Amino acid sequence: MGYDLSITRDPIWTGRPGHSLTLEEWFNVIQRDDELCFALSSEPRKYPSCDAEWLAHPKPEEAPHGTFFVWGGGDVICKYPDEHQMIKMVRISRKLNAIVIGDNGERYDLDENGKLVVHDESAPPPSPRPVTYGIGCNPCEKFTKAVAASKTPDGLMFYQWYLGLITAVNAMRYEDGKSVMTFPLTPEFIREDQIFLAQYCQEHPERLFHRAALALLQLRLARCGS
């Protein structure tokens, strides 16, 4: 198990109404911050990047898992961050009107002198939030294995689950008077989706598949200009 730090606007953690971070907002931060650059993916022709590399880390060779901030489908995540990365995440969070939260609910901030402080709070009490059902509840590792075992139907079932998510989101957007997403489900388009999901799951085998699906959904929304 790793230790993740997340930049988030999830109302459960912030205690205020609002919506999750959008890919457009995250891209805007990367483009405007001279210390950040886009980190190329392993399939740059299809999906150049949703992630950022921090170029100004004072000791990058000592960063346990590199100097990357990873898009997590509504949050920005850093795995095994050191103190320098934690401080940078707090500074980024202020640009996004967000907060920085650890795996155990602890909140990271900076004092008036710019020093890192940790508010060691327990996780908030349970409150109503969307519950995930079906094959999307499985870890990304299972999706990777299903794709590798091409003779099994599981790989297709994962993608069908993702399309069901798109359908549900479209239904809510329609009810809210927003434009719905329409995609040409051609073999090439589906292949692009599968490449993205496969790459995400290979990089984050311990996360649930629904987070990979949400990351792809955010990317598609950004490309639709929604």
Side-chain angles (χ1 to χ4, degrees):
M1 294 292 290
Y3 180 77
D4 291 355
L5 221 60
S6 300
I7 300 172
T8 185
R9 276 204 309 248
D10 188 328
I12 287 182
W13 295 111
T14 63
R16 57 179 184 259
H19 55 81
S20 299
L21 303 177
T22 67
L23 198 58
E24 182 180 5
E25 290 174 307
W26 174 226
F27 280 5
N28 187 55
V29 168
I30 299 173
Q31 291 166 342
R32 292 175 178 269
D33 191 330
D34 291 338
E35 294 185 355
L36 300 176
C37 72
F38 286 97
L40 287 179
S41 73
S42 59
E43 291 284 344
R45 290 182 64 250
K46 297 296 185 181
Y47 295 95
S49 180
C50 293
D51 307 329
E53 182 176 3
W54 183 29
L55 303 176
H57 193 296
K59 296 181 179 179
E61 69 281 355
E62 296 181 8
H65 284 259
T67 58
F68 300 99
F69 299 122
V70 178
W71 175 250
D75 297 331
V76 176
I77 300 166
C78 185
K79 197 173 187 67
Y80 289 117
D82 60 21
E83 185 171 343
H84 300 296
Q85 291 165 304
M86 293 176 180
I87 291 173
K88 180 63 177 178
M89 291 184 78
V90 174
R91 291 173 177 162
I92 292 173
S93 73
R94 292 178 175 179
K95 298 177 183 179
L96 293 164
N97 192 28
I99 62 173
V100 178
I101 289 288
D103 276 346
N104 300 315
E106 60 275 23
R107 179 170 175 171
Y108 291 76
D109 207 343
L110 300 178
D111 64 17
E112 62 274 10
N113 298 314
K115 293 186 177 180
L116 189 70
V117 293
V118 183
H119 304 288
D120 190 10
E121 303 169 351
S122 59
S127 59
R129 65 181 303 171
V131 179
T132 306
Y133 296 101
I135 201 167
C137 300
N138 285 282
C140 283
E141 183 180 17
K142 185 168 183 179
F143 170 78
T144 302
K145 291 179 179 178
V147 171
S150 57
K151 293 183 179 180
T152 69
D154 286 357
L156 178 59
M157 290 175 62
F158 276 101
Y159 189 68
Q160 289 175 331
W161 187 92
Y162 164 72
L163 293 179
L165 174 65
I166 294 289
T167 302
V169 170
N170 268 343
M172 291 190 297
R173 291 176 66 84
Y174 179 80
E175 291 294 328
D176 292 340
K178 298 179 180 179
S179 61
V180 299
M181 295 172 285
T182 57
F183 304 131
L185 290 180
T186 61
E188 177 64 19
F189 186 91
I190 294 172
R191 177 61 179 162
E192 287 186 5
D193 281 354
Q194 292 172 336
I195 289 173
F196 180 95
L197 294 170
Q199 177 186 323
Y200 185 101
C201 289
Q202 286 170 0
E203 294 175 354
H204 310 289
E206 76 286 354
R207 295 181 188 171
L208 298 184
F209 178 79
H210 84 267
R211 293 189 57 181
L214 286 173
L216 177 55
L217 171 61
Q218 287 284 351
L219 180 62
R220 289 303 187 192
L221 278 171
R223 288 188 171 183
C224 288
S226 301

